[in-house]
């Protein structure tokens, strides 16, 4: 096939652009979502795409894609999501363009070899890929945002009435005379306490899993001075319903004056995951949280230690793997310890675990104690 034929097709696409667009719109308007769209909205970046295709045919190169097409395809995907297209409809409109171009070739009796088809398919397929990827990413973000908002409202709305019920149960126990408290009344009050604690436990677990799902591997580390004891104390308070349900003691042994140079949000999630994980495996036991300055180093070692069930030796190397869950536990989605590792390493630290079956586990990690030279707090 001669280069002249490629130039002929490029010239035809430019000369008959309006006809091609009209034929394309006729095809796309068969999609229910496109029935009432005005011409500029429906066209969007398709005229630019036709111009890019003509350019590619003239260039006769497999590597001449210009950047503008990438940007317009990305914007097209976002616009189609806003209008209400689904992914299949986004793909269908690009394939409709492929069809009208093929009709143009046949109308003019052009005999073109495989290279022109490769060029046409490359340009259109690249546009499909960029538009669909952008569409899907934005759609996922919107769904996740709605889920998080809904979950936040549900958790907040549950905690208030649960706190009121718990307080009412305590007041009943204190104010009702012992002579009135028969066996049935005591049983009902006990049932109320247990179920309030159980519901509190569920709310804490849901919020915890949501925090894990929101955590991003590449999240930027925003370092500042963080008082460790105060941070851990807040978590001990927040996780007390979990501890109470497991009948265990949480102990904060972090020195009062110790401060870290770290991302407070990430550090909170690290401790939260380690403490709640220890609670899961330490019924009727004790979980201790501690930290110390490593001598002759700009680092702090932190740990969460329990005297619970321990971890089998064959699972020790896998506990930090994403989606790795304990086969004996029905709850959990296998993100907590993976996020701990990712966030510790994002600070330039390391996390390790020591464990013995029947005697408990200790998770240790390091974080910076102070800013690097020239870095402001």
């Amino acid at each position: 096939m001669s280069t002249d034929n490629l130039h002929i097709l490029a010239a035809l696409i430019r000369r008959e652009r309006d006809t091609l667009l009209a034929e394309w719109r006729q095809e796309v308007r068969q999609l229910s979502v496109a029935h009432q769209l005005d011409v500029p909205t429906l066209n969007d970046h398709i005229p630019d795409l036709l111009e890019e295709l003509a350019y590619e045919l003239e260039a006769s190169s497999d590597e001449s894609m210009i950047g503008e097409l990438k940007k317009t395809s990305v914007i097209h995907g976002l616009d189609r999501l806003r209008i209400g297209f689904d992914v299949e409809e986004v793909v269908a409109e690009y394939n409709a363009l492929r069809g009208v171009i093929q009709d143009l070739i046949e109308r003019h009796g052009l005999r073109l070899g495989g290279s022109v088809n490769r060029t046409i398919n490359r340009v259109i397929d690249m546009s499909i890929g960029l538009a669909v990827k952008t569409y899907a990413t934005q759609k996922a973000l919107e769904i996740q945002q709605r889920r998080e908002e809904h979950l936040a409202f549900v958790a907040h709305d549950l905690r208030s009435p649960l706190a009121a019920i718990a307080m009412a149960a305590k007041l009943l126990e204190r104010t009702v005379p012992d002579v009135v408290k028969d066996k049935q009344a005591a049983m009902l009050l006990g049932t109320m306490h247990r179920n309030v604690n159980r519901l509190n436990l569920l709310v804490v677990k849901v919020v915890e899993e949501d925090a894990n799902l929101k955590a991003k591997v590449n999240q930027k580390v925003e370092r500042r001075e963080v008082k460790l004891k105060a941070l851990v104390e807040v978590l001990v308070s927040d996780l007390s319903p979990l501890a109470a349900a497991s009948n265990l003691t949480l102990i904060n042994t972090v020195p009062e004056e110790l401060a870290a140079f770290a991302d407070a949000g990430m550090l909170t999630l690290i401790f939260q995951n380690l403490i709640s994980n220890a609670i899961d495996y330490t019924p009727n036991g004790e979980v201790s949280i501690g930290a110390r300055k490593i001598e002759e180093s700009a680092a702090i070692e932190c740990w969460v230690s329990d005297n619970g069930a321990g971890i089998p030796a064959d699972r020790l190397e896998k506990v930090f793997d994403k989606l790795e869950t304990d086969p004996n536990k029905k709850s959990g989605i296998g993100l907590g310890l993976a996020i701990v590792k990712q966030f510790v390493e994002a600070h330039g630290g390391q996390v390790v675990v020591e464990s013995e079956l029947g005697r408990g586990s200790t998770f240790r990690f390091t974080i910076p104690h102070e800013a690097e030279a020239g870095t402001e707090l």
Side-chain angles (χ1 to χ4, degrees):
M1 181 189 64
S2 68
T3 303
D4 289 343
N5 284 335
L6 288 174
H7 286 189
I8 289 171
L9 179 56
L12 280 173
I13 289 173
R14 289 193 174 103
R15 191 178 72 203
E16 300 195 22
R17 190 194 74 156
D18 291 343
T19 300
L20 289 171
L21 287 171
E23 292 174 349
W24 173 79
R25 287 195 298 270
Q26 185 176 1
E27 289 289 326
V28 175
R29 285 198 190 280
Q30 295 180 34
L31 302 173
S32 59
V33 71
H35 284 341
Q36 305 302 321
L37 293 181
D38 59 75
V39 170
T41 301
L42 186 58
N43 276 355
D44 196 51
H45 85 133
I46 300 302
D48 296 329
L49 182 56
L50 286 173
E51 176 57 34
E52 171 61 14
L53 179 57
Y55 172 87
E56 292 290 319
L57 290 167
E58 288 176 334
S60 304
S61 169
D62 288 338
E63 300 178 356
S64 60
M65 294 300 297
I66 58 176
E68 193 61 32
L69 174 62
K70 296 181 181 180
K71 290 189 288 187
T72 55
S73 296
V74 166
I75 295 170
H76 184 77
L78 294 174
D79 285 343
R80 282 335 197 209
L81 174 61
R82 178 182 55 80
I83 292 170
F85 277 62
D86 60 30
V87 172
E88 290 80 6
E89 288 166 335
V90 174
V91 175
E93 63 174 343
Y94 281 108
N95 284 331
L97 184 64
R98 203 190 313 260
V100 298
I101 292 171
Q102 188 60 43
D103 290 342
L104 174 70
I105 293 171
E106 293 176 1
R107 275 201 308 272
H108 289 271
L110 297 178
R111 296 183 178 276
L112 303 174
S115 61
V116 70
N117 288 325
R118 285 195 297 273
T119 300
I120 293 170
N121 288 334
R122 176 165 53 82
V123 173
I124 293 178
D125 288 346
M126 182 179 182
S127 296
I128 290 175
L130 290 168
V132 168
K133 181 180 179 181
T134 307
Y135 178 105
T137 300
Q138 185 62 29
K139 183 75 171 177
L141 288 173
E142 290 180 4
I143 292 172
Q144 179 66 13
Q145 183 178 6
R146 288 196 296 271
R147 175 188 176 277
E148 291 168 7
E149 290 172 352
H150 177 70
L151 192 58
F153 284 128
V154 169
H156 179 270
D157 290 346
L158 279 175
R159 276 178 163 165
S160 296
L162 284 173
I165 294 170
M167 182 60 69
K170 288 180 181 179
L171 289 173
L172 277 174
E173 280 190 320
R174 293 174 184 174
T175 57
V176 175
D178 290 338
V179 293
V180 180
K181 290 181 184 175
D182 57 14
K183 185 176 181 180
Q184 184 178 13
M187 182 185 71
L188 289 173
L189 284 170
T191 300
M192 186 182 297
H193 281 306
R194 285 193 303 275
N195 281 282
V196 167
N197 287 336
R198 189 174 296 127
L199 287 171
N200 267 322
L201 176 67
L202 286 173
V203 171
V204 171
K205 291 292 286 183
V206 166
V207 172
E208 175 192 334
E209 295 290 10
D210 183 61
N212 286 339
L213 287 170
K214 287 191 290 185
K216 296 178 176 63
V217 177
N218 298 318
Q219 185 172 324
K220 182 180 178 182
V221 180
E222 298 181 354
R223 303 173 190 267
R224 63 179 178 84
E225 188 179 67
V226 181
K227 298 294 185 182
L228 287 178
K229 189 175 184 69
L231 182 146
V232 170
E233 199 60 41
V234 170
L235 281 173
V236 167
S237 176
D238 288 348
L239 295 172
S240 58
L242 286 172
S246 294
N247 192 34
L248 63 81
T249 304
L250 290 175
I251 303 174
N252 181 2
T253 67
V254 178
E256 189 76 42
E257 72 284 355
L258 195 57
F261 184 66
D263 186 300
M266 288 187 177
L267 195 54
T268 296
L269 197 55
I270 290 168
F271 273 115
Q272 176 180 304
N273 280 309
L274 291 177
I275 296 170
S276 59
N277 188 69
I279 291 172
D280 279 346
Y281 289 89
T282 316
N284 307 305
E286 181 178 288
V287 174
S288 176
I289 306 99
R292 69 179 182 92
K293 170 75 168 61
I294 300 175
E295 294 301 327
E296 300 180 358
S297 170
I300 291 173
E301 181 188 54
C302 305
W303 63 86
V304 175
S305 185
D306 66 70
N307 58 357
I311 304 169
D314 61 348
R315 289 196 63 241
L316 276 177
E317 294 183 359
K318 299 186 291 184
V319 293
F320 295 108
D321 293 347
K322 187 173 288 188
L323 304 181
E324 174 66 23
T325 57
D326 185 344
N328 298 317
K329 289 277 186 180
K330 293 183 179 179
S331 63
I333 55 177
L335 287 175
L337 293 179
I339 288 169
V340 166
K341 183 174 186 291
Q342 290 161 0
F343 281 2
V344 168
E345 290 178 351
H347 284 83
Q350 291 183 317
V351 59
V352 296
V353 58
E354 306 156 4
S355 187
E356 185 177 344
L357 275 179
R359 298 180 67 91
S361 304
T362 298
F363 286 82
R364 301 181 186 275
F365 65 92
T366 54
I367 50 175
H369 172 55
E370 56 192 30
E372 296 178 1
T375 303
E376 295 183 359
L377 286 175

